[in-house]
Amino acid sequence: MALNMINMTRDGLIAEGISGAETKTGKQPNALAEMIRNLFSDDENNMPASGPPVVFRRDVHIKSHGCVEAEFTVPELDNKYRWGVLREPGTFDAWIRYSNGDYRLHPDKKRDARGMAIKLMGVEGEKLLPGQRKADTQDFVMMNATNYFIRHLADYVELTKYLALGDNLGYFLNGYSLNPFSWRFRELKLVGGTKKPPPETPLMTQYFSASAYKLGPENIKFSAKPKQCTDANGQAIAGKSSGWDTPKSDYNFLRLRMAEQLEAGPACFDFMVQMQVPGKIMPVEDATVVWSEKDSPFVTVAEVKIKEKQNFNTDVQNKFCENLSYNPWHSLPEHRPVGVFNRVRKALYEEVAKYRWDA
């Protein structure tokens, strides 16, 4: 179903005759075989067919605002936090991808979830995913909502069935049942909470893991919260947080404003963890439940600093960004994802990444 979501967008883009770098949205799904015939000829020289190339995008979070260089700095921490990449003080280089959450391309002004995916570089230790055991990277995947709207595996399958047909409402209205008592009102309310108005820039909203992970023996959730950047003496570094040149009516205003912000100075986040407290309503298997910050406040365990004056909006950089894959299971065992939502993602993310690369 998820692969069909990818194909649906690709087919529409080919039908509209526009290239992957300039795409708006796919509207007219065709058969996958026809799409491949449009992309590649079968002649003896294996030459590409006529027409522009189309990028095989992700199944969700398909619209990128850019991939930016950053540093992830770990200070001296209490022992209970010293697991995995947080074990010792130090700094990792990182690539961070910001994105819209939808499975279709649309203007940035539309209500949507926004994503922040961090890939740390130079991370030693065996990783969880087969075939990537010796990779020297670690991924953290977040969105700017505190929780998901799907509780069970069966619900996830049912939702994806409708999304694979381009239908956003069928799941919530139980296949357009005439019996409103069968509609999924709680899930509809929760998904409405993830569809937020756009931030001023992708660097000015808080992001959450939403689902649970391990931190050594403990269960946690994590978050990245914007903060004022400071220099080595603790003095605030001037930047830009208003007076944008790019209006929100611009189709890609989040990308362009992020470039404006980084031209004026760096951008910083506190990377924080929230520990599960025994006896409190902080479930691991139900990612629709928000863990109360009164029961367990977030604690800062690292700083993310996005470098200033970097030109990330280039053809080469955008291609590199599109080719990056992020997976919550691309991880050290000390940061293992837990809960049914993450078990679904393990299989799904692997297959989507493999299919995109093969295509």
Side-chain angles (χ1 to χ4, degrees):
M1 295 175 192
L3 301 186
N4 189 63
M5 290 164 65
I6 296 174
N7 295 335
M8 181 170 55
T9 301
R10 295 320 81 76
D11 289 353
L13 299 177
I14 292 172
E16 293 179 12
I18 51 181
S19 70
E22 301 166 350
T23 50
K24 299 299 182 185
T25 184
K27 298 176 181 178
Q28 301 174 359
N30 302 311
L32 174 60
E34 181 179 349
M35 176 185 65
I36 294 176
R37 283 197 298 272
N38 285 339
L39 281 173
F40 303 101
S41 68
D42 293 324
D43 64 27
E44 60 183 2
N45 296 319
N46 196 30
M47 296 295 289
S50 60
V54 174
V55 177
F56 279 68
R57 299 178 185 268
R58 295 157 171 80
D59 58 323
V60 292
H61 285 274
I62 73 170
K63 185 179 182 182
S64 170
H65 308 312
C67 288
V68 292
E69 288 185 85
E71 293 179 338
F72 185 96
T73 301
V74 180
E76 189 75 41
L77 297 170
D78 291 345
N79 286 338
K80 64 180 178 180
Y81 303 115
R82 295 182 61 177
W83 297 92
V85 299
L86 305 178
R87 183 176 295 277
E88 301 293 342
T91 298
F92 297 93
D93 290 329
W95 285 105
I96 302 179
R97 180 181 188 262
Y98 291 96
S99 61
N100 284 344
D102 210 342
Y103 66 101
R104 294 290 184 91
L105 294 165
H106 55 65
D108 289 343
K109 67 181 180 180
K110 184 177 178 181
R111 296 177 69 98
D112 198 356
R114 319 290 162 176
M116 177 182 182
I118 302 175
K119 186 178 292 291
L120 302 184
M121 314 299 290
V123 178
E124 298 179 355
E126 186 170 290
K127 309 307 185 297
L128 292 172
L129 287 179
Q132 300 182 32
R133 304 281 190 196
K134 298 187 182 302
D136 63 352
T137 51
Q138 162 76 43
D139 293 352
F140 294 108
V141 179
M142 294 169 281
M143 66 175 183
N144 66 338
T146 55
N147 56 290
Y148 292 103
F149 56 92
I150 296 296
R151 180 181 293 172
H152 306 297
L153 174 58
D155 289 336
Y156 196 97
V157 173
E158 187 73 4
L159 170 71
T160 311
K161 178 177 73 174
Y162 287 101
L163 295 184
L165 300 173
D167 185 342
N168 289 331
L169 292 176
Y171 167 76
F172 301 101
L173 302 182
N174 194 25
Y176 298 95
S177 168
L178 297 178
N179 177 13
F181 293 102
S182 70
W183 295 354
R184 295 177 170 92
F185 287 107
R186 180 177 184 269
E187 288 80 0
L188 187 59
K189 180 180 179 180
L190 289 173
V191 76
T194 68
K195 299 285 188 178
K196 300 177 181 292
E200 292 297 299
T201 82
L203 308 177
M204 296 175 67
T205 184
Q206 186 172 357
Y207 299 88
F208 302 87
S209 67
S211 56
Y213 292 75
K214 287 292 185 183
L215 182 60
E218 304 293 335
N219 293 322
I220 65 151
K221 292 185 179 183
F222 52 84
S223 175
K225 184 177 182 179
K227 71 167 190 173
Q228 174 70 57
C229 290
T230 57
D231 61 21
N233 297 317
Q235 299 297 310
I237 299 175
K240 185 170 186 175
S241 60
S242 61
W244 308 107
D245 296 330
T246 306
K248 288 188 175 181
S249 58
D250 190 289
Y251 188 88
N252 295 313
F253 90 85
L254 288 173
R255 169 187 289 270
L256 299 177
R257 283 193 182 180
M258 184 161 66
E260 287 186 48
Q261 186 175 354
L262 294 179
E263 181 61 28
C268 295
F269 289 81
D270 280 330
F271 186 82
M272 308 179 293
V273 299
Q274 182 186 29
M275 309 289 282
Q276 186 188 44
V277 178
K280 299 296 183 179
I281 303 175
M282 305 176 77
V284 163
E285 292 297 325
D286 187 349
T288 68
V289 176
V290 180
W291 290 7
S292 171
E293 292 188 46
K294 291 182 179 179
D295 293 333
S296 179
F298 280 99
V299 175
T300 299
V301 294
E303 180 190 65
V304 177
K305 185 175 184 179
I306 299 169
K307 300 177 183 179
E308 62 185 309
K309 297 188 182 303
Q310 55 177 297
N311 185 13
F312 64 87
N313 193 18
T314 67
D315 289 343
V316 172
Q317 182 79 343
N318 290 338
K319 183 177 180 180
F320 166 75
C321 188
E322 194 63 41
N323 288 342
L324 280 179
S325 293
Y326 290 86
N327 188 330
W329 287 85
H330 183 63
S331 168
L332 292 168
E334 294 92 334
H335 303 298
R336 182 185 184 91
V338 293
V340 64
F341 194 87
N342 280 324
R343 291 194 294 275
V344 172
R345 294 163 94 189
K346 184 177 188 293
L348 185 66
Y349 278 45
E350 285 186 277
E351 288 304 310
V352 166
K354 176 183 176 183
Y355 178 73
R356 289 178 63 225
W357 276 100
D358 288 347

